[in-house]
Amino acid sequence: MTWMITGGAGYIGSHVAAALVAGGHRVVVLDDLSTGDPARLPAGVPLVRGSILDRAVLDRALRGHEVRGIVHIAAKKQVGESVARPLWYYRENVEGLRTVLEAAVEARVRSFVFSSSAAVYGMPDVDLVTERTPCEPMSPYGETKLAGEWLVAAAGRAHGMSTASLRYFNVAGAASPGLGDPGVFNLVPMVFDRLSRGLPPLVFGDDYPTPDGTCVRDYVHVEDVASAHVAAARRLTEDGDAHLVLNIGSGEGVSVAEMVGIIQEVSGHTGTAPDVVARRPGDPARVVASAESIGKELGWSAAHGVREMVTSAWAGWQLRHP
């Protein structure tokens, strides 16, 4: 059985590709390389360069590689950008997904794993976010992910495809320095960037109702995210009637202040006190996953800790910014 990974040359996609190959699966990657890098791919994995909106490219790739399972990761994913360009985000994320699903049905693909996000939850007022927590996304990006989950589930049930929507929480780290996150959009690389330029890290608000006043988040190592995809792929292959929606998180909360402290220790930049600035609109005080369901359904749990996550991310940052 061959799995196609859309967006497989990107940060998360390349880790999923490596994990699937290590698990003995045949893999082909489809990526437009707008943010991906072919050098990230495991040796021997074929790359089809093209857009998920290009039905002809999809059809040729699915037929040519005899694809029977898809891991759909390709998407635009910046919250602020989605607010500024909602029409583009809906086109890329929802219409792109619809095009992939349409091609998948035509090609008789039997299993479909969808890369979703904790952004579907919005600002949940709960200690642990379960899959039953109401979804109230606060950005077009989050809306496109929730709409994507609905579309995947509906198509799967209508056309006999087993499906899983995996809601990522805060992903960081790297399996090797060359696979580190190249973007500067999430907390860990944002702090690296500030420290590397001799600037203090920014903390957006220290007056939240949390133990140290800063936001609390659930961080998960990208290798754990990849292993969750392998577990989902295995489950969908074995159970053709499965339709799952699962959190990928550690179940442990770490405050922004705690994370900044760990980053400073790992990077050796311990002498710079963070600058506390105004809260960002829409930042909830606490978002921590319940990982109970994914443990029961897939037998999966996070294997890597926060310090290991930061250490591996720092090695990647140093490689890209010597």
Side-chain angles (χ1 to χ4, degrees), residues 180-201:
D181 186 354
V184 188
F185 305 109
N186 301 316
L187 176 64
V188 174
M190 285 173 65
V191 175
F192 287 161
D193 178 57
R194 298 278 297 181
L195 293 174
S196 297
R197 292 189 288 128
L199 301 172

Side-chain angles (χ1 to χ4, degrees), residues 129-164:
V129 178
T130 75
E131 292 80 358
R132 294 172 298 282
T133 300
C135 291
E136 299 177 358
M138 298 181 63
S139 68
Y141 166 67
E143 292 166 3
T144 65
K145 286 300 182 181
L146 185 56
E149 291 185 8
W150 296 339
L151 185 55
V152 166
R157 290 191 172 93
H159 299 286
M161 223 170 11
S162 57
T163 64

Side-chain angles (χ1 to χ4, degrees), residues 245-268:
V245 177
L246 299 169
N247 290 337
I248 302 181
S250 69
E252 300 290 335
V254 180
S255 77
V256 169
E258 290 171 331
M259 182 59 92
V260 168
I262 293 170
I263 294 169
Q264 289 180 305
E265 290 174 13
V266 168
S267 67

Side-chain angles (χ1 to χ4, degrees), residues 243-313:
H243 298 287
L244 307 173
V245 177
L246 299 169
N247 290 337
I248 302 181
S250 69
E252 300 290 335
V254 180
S255 77
V256 169
E258 290 171 331
M259 182 59 92
V260 168
I262 293 170
I263 294 169
Q264 289 180 305
E265 290 174 13
V266 168
S267 67
H269 292 78
T270 56
T272 306
D275 272 355
V276 178
V277 297
R279 292 186 183 190
R280 292 181 300 190
D283 269 351
R286 174 185 171 90
V287 183
V288 178
S290 166
E292 182 178 355
S293 290
I294 195 170
K296 289 180 178 178
E297 293 287 352
L298 304 183
W300 177 92
S301 62
H304 301 276
V306 171
R307 187 170 292 273
E308 182 180 359
M309 190 186 311
V310 172
T311 300
S312 66

